[in-house]
Amino acid sequence: MGNVSVVITSYNQNEMIREVVDSVRRQKLRPDAIIVVDDGSTDPASVQVLDELEQAEDITVIRQGNAGPSAARNVGIRAARTDCVTVLDGDDRLLPTFLETTVGLLDGDASVVAASGWLRTFGVLDAVVKPTGGTITDFLSRNACPATFTFRRTVWEACGGYDESMRSGFEDWDFCLSLLAAAATAADTTATGQEPRIAIAPEPLIEYRTAPATPNITSMTTRLETMRYLINRHHAAYAAHLTDALLGIEATSIARLNLWERTVREHPALLESQPDSRAFMASPTYGDGGMAAAVRLRSMAYGQAAYDGAARGNGRRIVPSCDARDLRSATSSCYGNR
């Protein structure tokens, strides 16, 4: 076990970059190299921290003009001389067993091309986020791996590295798709008879800083545009697994609609106090489960007797195959996904 370099990218991150480096130094499995790539920092305090880190014997600092996170990562990976590389943003931190666990996953299974773990968030959000990893089909509808992860350098070479034109977010999602597609034809993975995959250890291994204005938050405003770019760039994978991609997106949509509905059931006042909820109930969406959700919520609000009475008063009737005593079953069966 071993033979891993850590590449840290930095841009105007002041003392945070020192925190990141310290978290790497505290790893139970010590890396062969710590490479900090500064992407054109201009803040004097950040430059001073980098100057101090450059004096350390165990750190290599590479400086470049501002070219974006993808270019900075590629520069650092190119400088690494190990079989495995871990990439890490300059505002996050590794928990002590990150390298030991992720390198162990790679060493233990040739079909694993990259590995990471759960995220323990801090800052604005205090939570544990649990990405699932998986094969390329699991990555078509959403990114299933943190941006901080360990991968085989040979697969980075095979896929061409990070797309340096992507400077508005989701470049890590694109890179995961590229890794998995490239690994599908690599001799060291096909020999196992298993589809290449990205493994996620079921435990927090990353401390992920959250703030309102980070690129991961602001990039959500361009998600549809970015997904169009990803689909065009990885057209072969999407075409080969179109059903899985569409069902994955639909599953996410259903889960979020159900979460909103459960929240409103627990807090009925939200239906009238929130403008978006009022607008939805006044004109529910059709064909995506929205109308069925609106019927269930109104049934809850008025009660079964009022609902049945209104239906009879309007000359309408419940479809006979539905059980009027079970409104949840009735609306699901009668209205389907409308």
Side-chain angles (χ1 to χ4, degrees):
M1 181 181 288
N3 197 15
V4 60
S5 299
V6 177
V7 173
I8 305 168
T9 54
S10 171
Y11 177 69
N12 286 340
Q13 286 166 320
N14 207 316
E15 287 293 330
M16 289 187 288
I17 192 68
R18 202 190 305 274
E19 294 179 27
V20 179
V21 169
D22 288 344
S23 77
V24 176
R25 284 171 166 163
R26 290 194 294 268
Q27 290 297 296
K28 291 182 68 176
L29 174 64
R30 294 298 300 271
D32 294 75
I34 303 174
I35 302 169
V36 177
V37 182
D38 178 60
D39 192 34
S41 290
T42 56
D43 171 57
S46 298
V47 172
Q48 181 178 347
V49 172
L50 291 164
D51 288 343
E52 294 171 1
L53 290 175
E54 201 167 20
Q55 304 306 311
E57 294 183 357
D58 61 336
I59 298 174
T60 298
V61 176
I62 301 173
R63 303 178 195 242
Q64 65 175 31
N66 183 254
S70 291
R73 289 168 186 154
N74 283 337
V75 166
I77 297 165
R78 200 170 290 118
R81 295 292 179 266
T82 50
D83 292 338
C84 296
V85 178
T86 296
V87 290
L88 174 62
D89 289 338
D91 55 353
D92 298 329
R93 303 186 294 243
L94 300 181
L95 289 169
T97 59
F98 179 91
L99 291 181
E100 179 183 59
T101 302
T102 57
V103 171
L105 288 169
L106 289 164
D107 285 347
D109 189 341
S111 70
V112 174
V113 299
S116 189
W118 293 348
L119 305 101
R120 177 176 294 147
T121 64
F122 65 101
V124 172
L125 177 67
D126 180 11
V128 174
V129 181
K130 303 176 180 180
T132 59
T135 65
I136 196 165
T137 58
D138 300 301
F139 280 79
L140 295 176
S141 57
R142 86 270 191 256
N143 190 8
C145 179
T148 295
F149 66 136
T150 304
F151 51 85
R152 302 183 192 278
R153 193 178 187 280
T154 54
V155 186
W156 169 82
E157 293 172 347
C159 77
Y162 284 88
D163 182 348
E164 298 184 10
S165 71
M166 298 185 71
R167 300 189 61 169
S168 300
F170 298 117
E171 71 285 341
D172 49 325
W173 183 5
D174 172 79
F175 182 54
C176 286
L177 287 168
S178 297
L179 280 178
L180 291 164
T185 58
D188 60 340
T189 58
T190 55
T192 67
Q194 296 179 308
E195 191 174 356
R197 65 187 180 93
I198 294 177
I200 303 293
E203 59 179 309
L205 295 178
I206 304 159
E207 290 183 317
Y208 185 87
R209 191 183 306 269
T210 57
T214 59
N216 279 343
I217 303 303
T218 57
S219 63
M220 294 302 290
T221 61
T222 60
R223 185 179 179 91
L224 292 181
E225 178 183 343
T226 303
M227 284 198 69
R228 181 184 297 276
Y229 179 82
L230 288 178
I231 291 169
N232 289 335
R233 179 165 152 80
H234 301 280
H235 184 268
Y238 279 94
H241 305 285
L242 181 61
T243 300
D244 291 310
L246 291 175
L247 290 178
I249 294 170
E250 180 69 7
T252 299
S253 176
I254 291 170
R256 289 175 178 168
L257 180 61
N258 287 342
L259 176 62
W260 172 79
E261 185 179 343
R262 289 196 302 272
T263 301
V264 171
R265 284 180 176 275
E266 294 175 6
H267 307 281
L270 291 174
L271 279 181
E272 303 303 328
S273 63
Q274 296 296 320
D276 288 344
S277 294
R278 288 201 306 270
F280 175 83
M281 295 302 290
S283 182
T285 56
Y286 186 85
D288 61 357
M291 190 175 79
V295 170
R296 287 191 293 269
L297 290 171
R298 282 303 183 209
S299 300
M300 173 196 72
Y302 292 121
Q304 180 176 331
Y307 174 81
D308 290 345
R312 288 192 297 272
N314 289 327
R316 299 172 57 209
R317 64 187 180 88
I318 302 295
V319 176
S321 62
C322 296
D323 184 356
R325 292 171 299 177
D326 185 347
L327 286 174
R328 184 172 300 178
S329 174
T331 53
S332 175
S333 300
C334 296
Y335 295 93
N337 70 347
R338 290 179 286 182

